[in-house]
Amino acid sequence: MIKSDNIEDILKYYSQNGEDKRHERHQLEFALMKRVFKAYLSEKPLKILELGAGSGHYTEFLAEMGHEILALEPTKVLIEFNEKKIREKKFEDRVRWLQADARNLSMEIKNEKFDVVLNMGPFYHLEQKQDRVSVMKQSLQALRSEGLHFGIFLSKVGYTSSVLSRQPESVMQD
């Protein structure tokens, strides 16, 4: 039997842990990605698939740049939060939200093709190799030829840094 990562753990975590404030905790990542997006995605409006949109900060930034985004997010509370934020910014004509698991893209996006695929969230959580491989294959199938794929994962250094930023007293103890 092939083991698969448990989506329920992910949904529970992101429904309760203030993901809407993630950009405040990870300012360097957000600043660096904004620079990358400006460098590679600024020529014309693009059709973008964002997997694991989370707090919606990349979604909002890309909508401000004029791009059309299909943002997949498995956590209902984050979709509701983000839909409200996108309406307030008047970007609802540029952003569609879809509650979905990135491991099942073929069912969700059918034969749509995208100029860009952002795979910024799923690899933080998918521990099983077959899940990561599946998401990557499906991401590339959704990409137009000569499109761009952005992926990110959490390294051990990144994880340690994140934990320490939330619990600095753990390294300050005598």
Side-chain angles (χ1 to χ4, degrees):
M1 182 171 147
I2 295 176
K3 184 178 177 190
S4 187
D5 292 309
N6 185 351
I7 189 76
E8 295 304 317
D9 292 342
I10 296 166
L11 296 175
K12 182 178 178 184
Y13 177 84
Y14 282 104
S15 294
Q16 301 172 351
N17 285 293
E19 178 68 2
D20 58 316
K21 303 274 191 258
R22 183 177 190 282
H23 69 292
E24 294 172 10
R25 294 189 308 270
H26 300 280
Q27 294 175 23
L28 179 60
E29 174 193 319
F30 189 58
L32 289 172
M33 289 312 303
K34 283 173 44 175
R35 289 180 72 183
V36 169
F37 293 155
K38 285 179 182 177
Y40 288 94
L41 307 179
S42 62
E43 289 184 29
K44 61 180 180 177
L46 299 168
K47 186 175 177 183
I48 299 173
L49 173 62
E50 182 181 13
L51 304 177
S55 61
H57 291 289
Y58 293 133
T59 314
E60 183 179 337
F61 180 75
L62 293 165
E64 286 174 1
M65 292 178 69
H67 302 300
E68 175 189 336
I69 302 108
L70 173 56
L72 271 68
E73 171 55 46
T75 312
K76 184 177 181 175
V77 68
L78 289 176
I79 290 175
E80 292 169 353
F81 169 80
N82 289 323
E83 285 177 330
K84 181 181 179 211
K85 188 169 60 167
I86 291 297
R87 273 193 309 276
E88 289 170 358
K89 297 271 186 167
K90 310 252 187 269
F91 294 145
E92 60 269 27
D93 61 325
R94 296 183 203 157
V95 179
R96 284 186 298 149
W97 289 93
L98 182 61
Q99 185 175 1
D101 183 335
R103 294 174 294 184
N104 299 315
L105 290 181
S106 60
M107 298 299 294
E108 302 300 341
I109 61 172
K110 312 268 189 279
N111 294 320
E112 284 190 74
K113 292 290 185 182
F114 297 86
D115 301 305
V116 177
V117 175
L118 299 180
N119 210 333
M120 309 291 280
F123 291 128
Y124 284 155
H125 305 289
L126 299 176
E127 296 175 9
Q128 300 302 314
K129 181 179 179 180
Q130 72 272 3
D131 285 340
R132 293 189 307 270
V133 169
S134 175
V135 169
M136 183 56 96
K137 283 181 181 177
Q138 291 180 71
S139 296
L140 295 176
Q141 288 171 348
L143 195 60
R144 289 188 177 133
S145 63
E146 302 199 23
L148 295 172
H149 180 275
F150 292 85
I152 195 166
F153 66 95
L154 187 62
S155 69
K156 290 178 183 176
V157 173
Y159 175 74
T160 303
S161 173
S162 178
V163 169
L164 291 176
S165 72
R166 289 187 223 158
Q167 300 173 342
E169 68 280 357
S170 64
V171 293
M172 303 303 285
Q173 295 175 350
D174 293 329

